[in-house]
Amino acid sequence: MSTPQTRYAKSGDVNIAYQVVGDGPFDLVLVPGFVSHLENDWDEPRSAHFLRRLASFSRLIRFDKRGTGLSDRPAGLPDLETRMDDVRAVMEAVGSERSALFGYSEGGPMSVLFAATYPERTTALVLYGTYAKRRDPDHDYPWAPTWEARQEAAAEIERTWASEAELGRMAPNADEALGRWWQIRARASASPGAARDLILMNSQIDVRDVLGAVRVPTLVLHRRGDHDSRADEGRYLAARIPEARFIELAGEDHVPWLDADQILDEVEHFLTGVRRGREPDRVLVTVLFTDIVGSTEQAATLGDRRWGELLEAHNEAVRGELERFHGRQVDAAGDGVFAVFDGPARAIRCAGAIRDAVGALGLEVRAGLHTGEVELAGDAVRGIAVHVGARVAAEAEPGEILVSSTVRDLVAGSGLEFDNRGEHELKGLSERRRLYAVTAT
């Protein structure tokens, strides 16, 4: 799915950026957390999967809150009532008379207020990883931080916005790829000062007195180990919203696009009555496998400490080349690396660059590549193409980059050169395959 077109709705004097995706039987407004960026949110595969799946069973309506992302950034910060006006402006712009609301994190309280204020425009309410109050704990709500703690958090976010942007708190299980995207997204979504001010403004939120006025079907979801808000806060919401259902999920990541299907299975079932489960994405990729030649012997010769240092240098060199050629590392078990690419020529050139980079460390690798359809399930990559790629790598000689005939055919005209290595019977595969050695990259 390509990035949808971004449009604008006028809310008073402010332009609110929005997108519409999907053509499902009902409207679903996604109310984002702290910050968002309509276009950058499609750049990370797990975030894009989260959005695609929501759009698979609804007409998904997304927007960037005023002051963030692609929306106008007027002076001052809006209260919840103003944010409700922005949602209504977007709904009117897309012709949505009634919609379900899905508010996550900071988007939860505003969604609660909207559902209570406009029950005639709200069909259902979904809340994930959210809260009712954000400062000054009391006997009724002991989980809220103190005002001093919120001020310190705001100052820390301003100091670290260019590098951390609260990633450790929001997604403690993020990998390097998500971390890089997160930093780019944060800088595009808000400035350091705006991020600080958002934290301070959100500290004023308290919708406890509104909860009992919600009269639409409501689902509350919360991960057990959430580092940003506690599962007890989700229970509090569900206990006070009439007939709301609470589901506690395993995990500790606050952001909804990590292990998204865990959340989306419940959301889809609640909104549609169908528990479809995840439909794995099937895409065409080029798989690359490399492994170090003679690693066992070198480890025995060098000793554990020196070999560990050399292996880490190898891993760092591989990561650098994968980033340069836009590859994604799937696994790096032992002395081997498994990565995927969206183009075979880049994958071959990356393999050559890896061979040269680790050669400078005194290491020799063999590599194998194959292009085929795979199944993406979260971070995992599965399918027969993966097994073919691994078997091709196993046939390579030390220092050799070996590719399947599929890869060779797809890069015709690229300037890459090959030697025919004949047909090979690959272990565990029924048919023989012709393999080619790369001679020039």
Side-chain angles (χ1 to χ4, degrees):
M1 179 185 291
S2 59
T3 302
Q5 183 176 0
T6 299
R7 301 181 183 276
Y8 289 90
K10 208 66 178 288
S11 180
D13 294 329
V14 176
N15 293 286
I16 304 299
Y18 71 87
Q19 291 179 350
V20 179
V21 195
D23 56 1
F26 64 91
D27 290 344
L28 174 62
V29 175
L30 182 64
V31 183
F34 184 36
V35 295
S36 62
H37 194 287
L38 289 177
E39 294 176 359
N40 283 10
D41 285 351
W42 293 99
D43 292 341
E44 211 292 320
R46 286 154 290 193
S47 172
H49 167 71
F50 172 73
L51 300 175
R52 281 197 303 268
R53 183 156 174 206
L54 287 173
S56 73
F57 59 81
S58 71
R59 183 172 76 134
L60 178 64
I61 302 165
R62 306 176 55 225
F63 68 99
D64 284 334
K65 293 178 298 188
R66 65 169 62 201
T68 69
L70 297 174
S71 292
D72 281 348
R73 302 187 182 187
L77 291 168
D79 55 21
L80 294 184
E81 182 177 351
T82 303
R83 290 186 181 180
M84 284 201 303
D85 291 340
D86 294 345
V87 172
R88 285 194 298 115
V90 170
M91 289 178 65
E92 288 164 7
V94 303
S96 178
E97 295 183 1
R98 302 185 72 211
S99 176
L101 263 64
F102 181 176
Y104 66 88
S105 190
E106 179 203 309
M110 195 285 293
S111 299
V112 167
L113 187 58
F114 189 98
T117 307
Y118 303 108
E120 74 283 0
R121 303 205 66 171
T122 309
T123 59
L125 178 63
V126 176
L127 303 172
Y128 164 74
T130 191
Y131 48 83
K133 182 183 179 183
R134 212 49 171 164
R135 59 170 277 191
D136 295 334
D138 55 32
H139 71 282
D140 179 60
Y141 205 88
W143 314 284
T146 64
W147 174 232
E148 291 74 17
R150 291 294 287 174
Q151 289 175 303
E152 291 173 5
E156 179 67 13
I157 280 179
E158 183 179 18
R159 282 194 300 270
T160 63
W161 192 243
S163 57
E164 169 64 17
E166 265 203 325
L167 177 63
R169 182 181 180 91
M170 298 293 172
N173 293 303
D175 56 22
E176 290 184 17
L178 191 137
R180 288 192 297 271
W181 167 77
W182 177 271
Q183 292 168 9
I184 293 169
R185 176 182 184 267
R187 292 192 295 269
S189 299
S191 67
R196 174 204 61 217
D197 291 345
L198 280 168
I199 290 291
L200 295 177
M201 184 204 68
N202 293 339
S203 300
Q204 312 305 320
I205 289 175
D206 187 345
V207 294
R208 290 178 295 174
D209 292 340
V210 177
L211 299 176
V214 175
R215 290 291 186 271
V216 299
T218 301
L219 174 67
V220 182
L221 302 161
H222 219 107
R223 283 184 173 144
R224 187 176 303 122
D226 193 320
H227 289 207
D228 184 71
S229 56
R230 299 177 187 237
D232 283 341
E233 296 182 78
R235 290 191 187 88
Y236 181 98
L237 292 167
R240 287 158 179 78
I241 295 175
E243 299 183 26
R245 182 185 179 197
F246 176 73
I247 297 177
E248 183 178 287
L249 304 170
E252 58 181 352
D253 291 302
H254 181 67
V255 297
W257 46 81
L258 283 180
D259 196 9
D261 291 302
Q262 176 199 46
I263 299 166
L264 296 173
D265 286 348
E266 301 297 342
V267 173
E268 183 174 9
H269 183 244
F270 172 70
L271 292 176
T272 69
V274 176
R275 189 173 291 279
R276 176 182 54 170
R278 183 179 186 274
E279 294 182 2
D281 292 331
R282 297 196 66 83
V283 297
L284 187 73
V285 301
T286 298
V287 300
L288 164 65
F289 284 87
T290 71
D291 73 278
I292 300 171
V293 176
S295 59
T296 302
E297 293 80 1
Q298 291 192 67
T301 301
L302 295 173
D304 290 343
R305 180 176 178 181
R306 175 71 185 107
W307 173 247
E309 293 172 348
L310 188 58
L311 189 59
E312 179 52 39
H314 161 274
N315 293 342
E316 185 175 349
V318 171
R319 286 193 294 266
E321 298 304 334
L322 289 175
E323 182 174 358
R324 185 157 71 99
F325 288 93
H326 307 292
R328 178 169 77 87
Q329 182 171 298
V330 179
D331 193 14
D335 56 1
V337 170
F338 167 31
V340 294
F341 297 78
D342 60 5
R346 274 199 300 276
I348 292 172
R349 294 190 172 104
C350 183
I354 288 172
R355 179 180 59 187
D356 295 343
V358 303
L361 301 172
L363 297 172
E364 191 173 34
V365 297
R366 58 170 57 88
L369 299 97
H370 176 63
T371 300
E373 191 179 47
V374 299
E375 178 183 293
L376 302 180
D379 294 335
V381 179
R382 300 191 290 257
I384 189 65
V386 176
H387 298 290
V388 174
R391 298 295 183 261
V392 172
E395 295 293 317
E397 297 293 331
E400 190 173 51
I401 300 171
L402 209 58
V403 307
S404 68
S405 58
T406 306
V407 173
R408 184 252 193 184
D409 293 344
L410 287 171
V411 299
S414 65
L416 296 165
E417 298 178 8
F418 305 88
D419 274 350
N420 190 337
R421 290 289 191 260
E423 291 190 343
H424 290 247
E425 185 174 331
L426 303 181
K427 183 179 178 181
L429 301 174
S430 58
E431 62 181 274
R432 295 173 63 84
R433 294 179 181 260
R434 186 171 298 277
L435 304 182
Y436 295 82
V438 179
T439 58
T441 59

